[in-house]
Amino acid sequence: MKKIIRSMYDSLTSIVERDAYNSILYVVLGGILLLSVFHLVMFFQNRDRAYLLYSAYTFFSFVAYLPMAESGFAKSISEVLNLDQFTKDFFTIIFNCFYFFFFTEFLNIKKISIKWYRIIVLPVFVLIFIAFLSLFLHYFMGYDGFFNYFKMVFIYLVTIQTVISFYILSKVDNNLKYYIVFGGLILFACSVIGDKAVRQIPGIDISRKMGDFIFFLGLLIENMAFSFALGHKQRMNYQDKVAFQQNFIAQLQKNEMLKDEINRDNEKRLIIENEKIKYLQEISDLKLSVLQSQMNPHFIFNALNSIKYYILESDTQNAVDYLTKFSKIIRTILLASKEKEFTLSQELQTLQLYADIENLRFHNHIQFSINITPEIDVDIVKLPPMVLQPFIENAIIHGVATVDYKKITINVSVKDEAVEISITDNGIGRKEAGKRKSIIKNKTKSLGTEIAAEMLKNYFNNEGYKLQYIDLYENDIPTGTKIIISIPKPRYLRNKYA
């Protein structure tokens, strides 16, 4: 049996040394170069530094063993680049160092433990620094003693570093580490067997070319293991990416369903809100209509009383004038009964007409004036129809009716966030008017100003609306009453003073 094994070994050795040495070397070098280029392309595609470090590892392996070619294109390149035994040993050290850089990046050791990462990488940086120092001494000072010594020591140092690194890898929870360990052990074993000191041990007695063949075989197996590792990692990344995309799509679909559900709920809520707003608006309009229907007869009743007064006094001219102006007022009242709102211009024209009618009764003794601030556009400001008339009526009947000099002034101005309408009379004041009303028998309570206040409240929804009564005095003597009606400022004024 031993003879058969020995015969087969001798035949393999003969084939390798005599016929296939250069072919095997070219296969290995070609394969390593292809791996280097392929993984460099993969780096530019994926931007994963593990591909770049593996490309550098295989490239330095290619450069290290290029001088071993005995003929052909590889030997020509080696001679052009002046590659020799020194460069072979130097690049062998470099690619062995890049082995550590590659697997720490490949297995993300730095993310797992910065301490482990430093234990593996820092000694390797020192070894690379020493290698480049020896390169400097060789080319610029012609001294090789340092490098020869370092080359012998490097074998032991890298072996110790490999053992330490494999011990750390045993604690890493990543199945990809087995590719690294397997490839590293195979190359280490083949490197030991192919080493000159080992292959010449009695009982082993392997030739140089056979030792190189074993080493090349180990190098090829290691690189295949590393390529499988990178392929496995890429497949895992792809599966993670597909899973992420599927989860993302599922989440998007879920979000779309949730969005549709929310939109349906919002549509239902919006319909309910619109119905509620419509309902409240209808209630508000109904209240306003009721109040208008209460106020209009109230005004007509007072106007007819005034006309009756002239007829009873046989004052035909004034009665005719009164009826003429009264017809205009009636048209305004009919319009007001159909409209939900008046412009301030319409309202002030109505007040002027009403004051003219009442002035006939007082023989034109009432000085009635309207002052409007220039920035107010009376054709834009809106309010309920005929809402200010009861306040003028009140100012005449209970204010200036019993004084000799009668004066009523309306001022329209802008103040803060409101349009302020003030009605000022120089009458007897509210206190004295209250006393006089209390002694009048069979009096009917006037509801005009109360109805007007309720109309304003409903029209402006009690927001920005304010009604204020101010008693005027001079030396503690009542000199009249001032009513301030504040309504919300229209949009054009809010923009103007923003």
Side-chain angles (χ1 to χ4, degrees), residues 149-164:
Y149 176 75
F150 171 65
K151 181 174 62 174
M152 291 187 296
V153 175
F154 176 78
I155 297 173
Y156 300 102
L157 294 177
V158 77
T159 301
I160 294 171
Q161 188 64 16
T162 302
V163 172
I164 294 172

Side-chain angles (χ1 to χ4, degrees), residues 83-187:
L83 301 177
D84 53 16
Q85 184 61 37
F86 177 84
T87 59
K88 174 182 177 299
D89 295 336
F90 173 78
F91 283 111
T92 300
I93 293 171
I94 297 301
F95 88 72
N96 275 283
C97 290
F98 266 82
Y99 166 76
F100 295 95
F101 295 148
F102 161 67
F103 79 73
T104 52
E105 182 69 26
F106 175 71
L107 297 174
N108 292 322
I109 302 296
K110 191 174 184 179
K111 291 183 179 180
I112 297 172
S113 172
I114 190 67
K115 180 181 178 182
W116 290 354
Y117 177 78
R118 289 172 179 170
I119 291 174
I120 296 173
V121 169
L122 292 181
V124 176
F125 275 115
V126 174
L127 294 176
I128 289 179
F129 174 76
I130 296 173
F132 275 96
L133 179 62
S134 64
L135 182 69
F136 176 80
L137 294 175
H138 171 77
Y139 281 107
F140 293 97
M141 301 185 66
Y143 179 66
D144 292 334
F146 179 78
F147 180 73
N148 291 333
Y149 176 75
F150 171 65
K151 181 174 62 174
M152 291 187 296
V153 175
F154 176 78
I155 297 173
Y156 300 102
L157 294 177
V158 77
T159 301
I160 294 171
Q161 188 64 16
T162 302
V163 172
I164 294 172
S165 300
F166 281 7
Y167 173 75
I168 292 174
L169 289 183
S170 67
K171 298 180 178 296
V172 174
D173 186 18
N174 189 337
N175 291 333
L176 294 175
K177 68 183 180 182
Y178 296 113
Y179 288 103
I180 304 300
V181 173
F182 172 75
L185 290 176
I186 290 294
L187 181 61

Side-chain angles (χ1 to χ4, degrees), residues 428-468:
I428 60 176
R430 290 193 302 160
K431 187 175 181 180
E432 182 63 26
K435 290 179 181 179
R436 294 186 182 187
K437 283 194 291 184
S438 66
I439 62 176
I440 297 176
K441 296 179 180 179
N442 300 322
K443 72 175 184 73
T444 302
K445 185 178 179 182
S446 175
L447 298 177
T449 55
E450 293 182 12
I451 295 172
E454 192 67 23
M455 287 176 66
L456 288 166
K457 180 179 178 181
N458 277 278
Y459 182 83
F460 294 109
N461 296 320
N462 210 23
E463 295 179 2
Y465 153 71
K466 185 178 180 182
L467 177 61
Q468 184 180 7

Side-chain angles (χ1 to χ4, degrees), residues 22-122:
N22 275 334
S23 299
I24 293 171
L25 178 61
Y26 269 100
V27 169
V28 172
L29 290 177
I32 292 173
L33 183 60
L34 286 174
L35 287 173
S36 177
V37 173
F38 173 76
H39 287 96
L40 183 62
V41 173
M42 291 297 293
F43 164 72
F44 287 113
Q45 181 178 347
N46 299 303
R47 296 297 174 180
D48 187 342
R49 290 180 65 238
Y51 288 106
L52 179 63
L53 291 171
Y54 181 67
S55 177
Y57 170 76
T58 51
F59 176 75
F60 289 129
S61 301
F62 171 78
V63 176
Y65 293 103
L66 196 60
M68 297 182 67
E70 295 180 345
S71 61
F73 181 69
K75 183 173 178 61
S76 300
I77 294 176
S78 178
E79 290 175 351
V80 170
L81 298 176
N82 197 24
L83 301 177
D84 53 16
Q85 184 61 37
F86 177 84
T87 59
K88 174 182 177 299
D89 295 336
F90 173 78
F91 283 111
T92 300
I93 293 171
I94 297 301
F95 88 72
N96 275 283
C97 290
F98 266 82
Y99 166 76
F100 295 95
F101 295 148
F102 161 67
F103 79 73
T104 52
E105 182 69 26
F106 175 71
L107 297 174
N108 292 322
I109 302 296
K110 191 174 184 179
K111 291 183 179 180
I112 297 172
S113 172
I114 190 67
K115 180 181 178 182
W116 290 354
Y117 177 78
R118 289 172 179 170
I119 291 174
I120 296 173
V121 169
L122 292 181

Side-chain angles (χ1 to χ4, degrees), residues 204-226:
I204 297 180
D205 194 21
I206 298 175
S207 66
R208 180 184 67 82
K209 289 187 176 182
M210 192 61 188
D212 290 343
F213 170 75
I214 293 173
F215 173 78
F216 292 153
L217 183 63
L219 185 63
L220 188 60
I221 293 173
E222 183 206 40
N223 278 279
M224 289 176 64
F226 290 174

